[in-house]
Amino acid sequence: MDDNHLNICIHRARTQLGRLEVADAASLVERRPGTRQVRLGPARIELRPLD
């Protein structure tokens, strides 16, 4: 996957998380500049089923 496609995928993931009203969705998925590294931003993540 090239860098442009990776950026598009990250943007789409952030958008989908925002639509689901995930708290701080924009910083949930992070990418380190100048590298191909992607990581989860928060120190703690709690997953719960939707009501």
Side-chain angles (χ1 to χ4, degrees), residues 9-32 37-47:
C9 289
I10 291 171
H11 174 74
R12 288 178 179 164
R14 288 174 176 160
T15 301
Q16 290 175 2
L17 292 168
R19 286 186 188 140
L20 292 171
E21 299 178 2
V22 171
D24 206 14
S27 66
L28 183 62
V29 180
E30 297 179 348
R31 178 150 186 232
R32 291 188 177 167
Q37 295 179 340
V38 178
R39 68 187 191 116
L40 295 176
R44 181 185 147 149
I45 297 173
E46 180 181 334
L47 302 175

Side-chain angles (χ1 to χ4, degrees), residues 1-10 31 36:
M1 175 181 305
D2 65 24
D3 287 344
N4 191 42
H5 186 76
L6 179 60
N7 288 335
I8 290 168
C9 289
I10 291 171
R31 178 150 186 232
R36 297 185 55 79

